[in-house]
Amino acid sequence: MPRARTEVHPPFAVTVDLVVLTVRDGRLHVLLVERGAEPFAGRLALPGGFVHPDEDLADAAYRELREETGLGGAGQAHVHLEQLRSYGAPQRDPRMRTVSVAYLCLAPDLPAPVAGSDARAAHWVDLATIGQGGGLAFDHAEILADGLERARAKLEYTSLGTAFCPAEFTVAHLREVYEAVWGVPIDPRNFHRKATKTAGLLVPTGRYAAGTPGRPAQLYRRGEVGSIDPPMTRAGG
Amino acid sequence: MPRARTEVHPPFAVTVDLVVLTVRDGRLHVLLVERGAEPFAGRLALPGGFVHPDEDLADAAYRELREETGLGGAGQAHVHLEQLRSYGAPQRDPRMRTVSVAYLCLAPDLPAPVAGSDARAAHWVDLATIGQGGGLAFDHAEILADGLERARAKLEYTSLGTAFCPAEFTVAHLREVYEAVWGVPIDPRNFHRKATKTAGLLVPTGRYAAGTPGRPAQLYRRGEVGSIDPPMTRAGG
DNA sequence: CCAATAGTGTCTTTCAGACACTATATA
DNA sequence: TATATAGTGTCTGAAAGACACTATTGG
C-alpha cells in the first residue's frame, strides 16, 4: 500500500494476458496470436492487452477474450476464467515498465472458427508442437507453462475438466479431456465409476449419444460442485 | 500485451502487499501495521509499499518484508514467500488507480520483536480476534482471506507447514502448526506416523528436546521435498 | 456372427482414522 | 509412585488400480 501521497510512485503499464486452453481431437491446444508490430513482430504470443482506466482486472480479461477470440460473449458457450498470477520483471517488455496480470481460461472445443474483431487472427496451436519456450514473445512461454501447471493441478481436485466439454457430454469425452491435459492414459472403467459416483460432478440428462460404434453412452451436464473429494488421481485413475 | 506503441496506456501505481503469517502459542497470527496517514488513518493494514522503477515484484516483496518487519534478511531465519494474487479494482485506493500484487509469507514465531526501520510498528495480531472484515484498510480483508485460504490449502499437499517452525522442531510442534492453521484438533499418534513416514518431509537430527514433561521428543529439520503425496488430510488426520 | 464401446462387479493394496499399548521423561 | 508426552501396533473402512465380466450398439 502507498505510504503517503507525497511519496513518488513510478507509472506502470498494466496489461492482461490470457492462457486460453481447449482440447481438440484428444490433444491440448492453446490460443495464440501472431504479433504484427515490434517487438517480437511475427512471433506468436498470448492474446491480451492494456487494462482500461476504470476497468477491473477480470473485466479486462473478459473483454480481451471477446475482442481477440470471440469467446465468452453473452449467450455464448460456457468458459471458465480465473486469475493465474502476475508477471513484472523490469525488462519483460523492452518498450516500457509493464506488469501483466495473467488469466487462465478453459473453453470447450468450438465448432465456430475463432476470430476476433481485431485484424490479427487467433489460432489454436497444438501444445505438442510447441517446445520448451517455443519461440513465444516476451515472457509468454513462462506464463503458458504456469497456466498448464495450474490447469493440470486443478483437474485433480476440482470439476474444471468439465469446462473443456460442451453443454452435454459423455463420460468418455470427459476422460479424453483428462488424458489430453495430463498426457497419460486412464482406465475407462475405473474413470467411469469415479466420475459417475463423485457427487455433484455430473448431472445425467437421460439422453444418449448416437452414431458411434458400441453401446450408446449416456449424456451428462456439468454439476454444480467446484471441488472433487476425494480428488482424481493423476497416475491413471 | 501492448498492441502497438501508439496505443494509449493509462499509468497505474503498482504496490506489493504482504500477508505474513506465523503461529504463536498455538494460534495463527498475521502481521499488521497501523496506518498513519489518510486514507484509513489509524486503521490496521497489511504491510506493503510501492514497487520501485527497476525492481522485480518478488524483490519488492522481499524488500518490504525487511523494511517493515525485519524478517527475511540475510542470515535470518528461513521464511517462505510466494505470490498470492493481484487486486486491481478501480476504486480500491481512493487516491489513484492502483494494482496490488499480494504475496503470502509464512514465518516461524520469532523470539526477537518484529520492528522495521519504518516509524510504524508492525504487530502480530491473533486471527481469532479479527472478525470477517475486521476493519482492515482498503481491500486488505479480502487479501487476508485469500492468503488464509491459500495457506490452509497448501498445508495439505506441500511441506509448507514446516515454514512455520524454527530450524529444529519436534513432530508435536509441527502438529500444533497444523491445528492452528486448520483450526481442528489432530490425533497426535496418527499425525506422528504420517509426518515421520512421509519421505523427505522431516530430517532427524538425532538430538532430543528437553525440559518438558513426558518422554523427550526427537528434533527434526525441514526436509527437501515440496509436495506431500499422499497429502495431509484436513478432517483430523 | 464380430468388433467396439458402455457400464458393473470384485479382488488387492494402500492409507486414514480410531485407539490399545509401550517407552521415557518430570514431579 | 502418578502424570504427561513420545512413539508403535493393529483393526476397520474407504477408495484406487487391475481387470473379468455383462450390456448394447453398428457392420
Side-chain angles (χ1 to χ4, degrees):
Chain A
M1 269 299 97
R3 288 182 188 166
R5 71 190 320 151
T6 56
E7 184 171 340
V8 292
H9 48 275
F12 287 71
V14 176
T15 62
V16 290
D17 285 317
L18 303 175
V19 178
V20 188
L21 303 177
T22 199
V23 174
R24 314 191 88 177
D25 306 320
R27 293 186 308 278
L28 193 58
H29 288 65
V30 61
L31 197 64
L32 298 177
V33 297
E34 191 173 335
R35 284 186 58 78
E38 290 295 340
F40 301 105
R43 298 272 282 279
L44 291 174
L46 299 174
F50 287 107
V51 177
H52 289 349
D54 286 306
E55 187 178 41
D56 200 356
L57 299 176
D59 293 338
Y62 273 112
R63 177 179 51 74
E64 289 292 339
L65 188 64
R66 279 196 313 276
E67 289 181 5
E68 297 216 42
T69 73
L71 292 169
Q76 283 270 5
H78 165 96
V79 297
H80 170 84
L81 188 74
E82 68 176 50
Q83 191 182 307
L84 182 57
R85 60 165 291 160
S86 295
Y87 301 81
Q91 299 300 326
R92 64 180 296 277
D93 186 323
R95 294 166 296 179
M96 70 199 91
R97 183 68 203 270
T98 304
V99 169
S100 172
V101 184
Y103 279 77
L104 176 64
C105 177
L106 309 184
D109 186 18
L110 300 160
V114 174
S117 59
D118 199 290
R120 301 175 298 159
H123 303 281
W124 290 117
V125 178
D126 188 339
L127 272 165
T129 67
I130 306 180
Q132 299 287 12
L136 263 53
F138 304 102
D139 50 4
H140 288 190
E142 181 191 357
I143 300 175
L144 173 57
D146 289 346
L148 287 172
E149 187 184 328
R150 170 80 63 91
R152 288 181 177 131
K154 279 219 155 185
L155 254 61
E156 293 190 19
Y157 59 94
T158 73
S159 60
L160 278 187
T162 61
F164 287 113
C165 298
E168 296 197 353
F169 55 94
T170 64
V171 173
H173 191 131
L174 182 61
R175 174 171 49 81
E176 285 158 16
V177 164
Y178 273 84
E179 292 178 326
V181 175
W182 285 347
V184 296
I186 299 176
D187 185 287
R189 297 157 296 184
N190 290 334
F191 183 87
H192 186 280
R193 179 159 21 108
K194 173 75 175 179
T196 53
K197 296 215 170 149
T198 297
L201 178 63
L202 301 177
V203 178
T205 65
R207 278 187 295 282
Y208 290 83
T212 57
R215 175 175 169 178
Q218 192 166 177
L219 289 168
Y220 294 87
R221 284 196 303 273
R222 272 179 287 278
E224 326 74 28
V225 298
S227 64
I228 294 177
D229 184 54
M232 296 279 183
T233 49
R234 208 151 156 177
Chain B
M1 267 298 96
R3 289 180 186 168
R5 74 188 319 148
T6 56
E7 184 172 342
V8 290
H9 48 274
F12 287 72
V14 176
T15 63
V16 291
D17 285 317
L18 303 175
V19 178
V20 188
L21 302 177
T22 199
V23 175
R24 312 191 90 176
D25 306 321
R27 293 186 308 279
L28 194 56
H29 288 64
V30 61
L31 197 64
L32 298 178
V33 298
E34 191 173 336
R35 284 188 58 80
E38 291 294 339
F40 302 104
R43 298 273 281 279
L44 291 173
L46 299 174
F50 287 107
V51 177
H52 288 349
D54 286 307
E55 187 179 42
D56 200 354
L57 299 176
D59 293 338
Y62 273 113
R63 176 179 52 74
E64 290 292 339
L65 189 65
R66 279 196 316 274
E67 288 181 5
E68 297 216 41
T69 73
L71 291 168
Q76 283 269 6
H78 164 96
V79 297
H80 169 85
L81 189 74
E82 69 177 48
Q83 192 183 305
L84 181 56
R85 61 165 289 159
S86 295
Y87 301 82
Q91 298 301 328
R92 64 180 296 277
D93 186 322
R95 296 166 294 180
M96 70 198 92
R97 183 69 203 270
T98 303
V99 169
S100 171
V101 184
Y103 279 78
L104 175 64
C105 177
L106 310 183
D109 185 19
L110 299 160
V114 173
S117 60
D118 199 290
R120 299 175 299 159
H123 303 280
W124 291 117
V125 177
D126 187 340
L127 273 166
T129 68
I130 307 180
Q132 298 287 15
L136 263 53
F138 303 103
D139 51 2
H140 288 190
E142 180 191 358
I143 301 176
L144 173 57
D146 289 346
L148 286 173
E149 186 183 328
R150 171 78 64 90
R152 288 181 177 130
K154 278 218 155 185
L155 253 61
E156 293 190 20
Y157 60 93
T158 74
S159 60
L160 278 187
T162 61
F164 287 114
C165 297
E168 296 197 354
F169 55 93
T170 65
V171 172
H173 191 132
L174 182 61
R175 175 171 50 80
E176 285 158 16
V177 164
Y178 274 83
E179 291 177 326
V181 175
W182 285 346
V184 296
I186 299 175
D187 185 287
R189 299 157 293 185
N190 290 334
F191 183 86
H192 186 280
R193 180 161 18 112
K194 173 75 174 179
T196 53
K197 295 216 169 146
T198 297
L201 177 63
L202 300 176
V203 178
T205 65
R207 279 187 294 282
Y208 290 83
T212 58
R215 175 174 167 180
Q218 192 166 177
L219 290 167
Y220 294 87
R221 284 195 303 272
R222 273 180 285 278
E224 326 74 28
V225 298
S227 63
I228 293 176
D229 185 52
M232 296 280 182
T233 49
R234 206 150 155 180

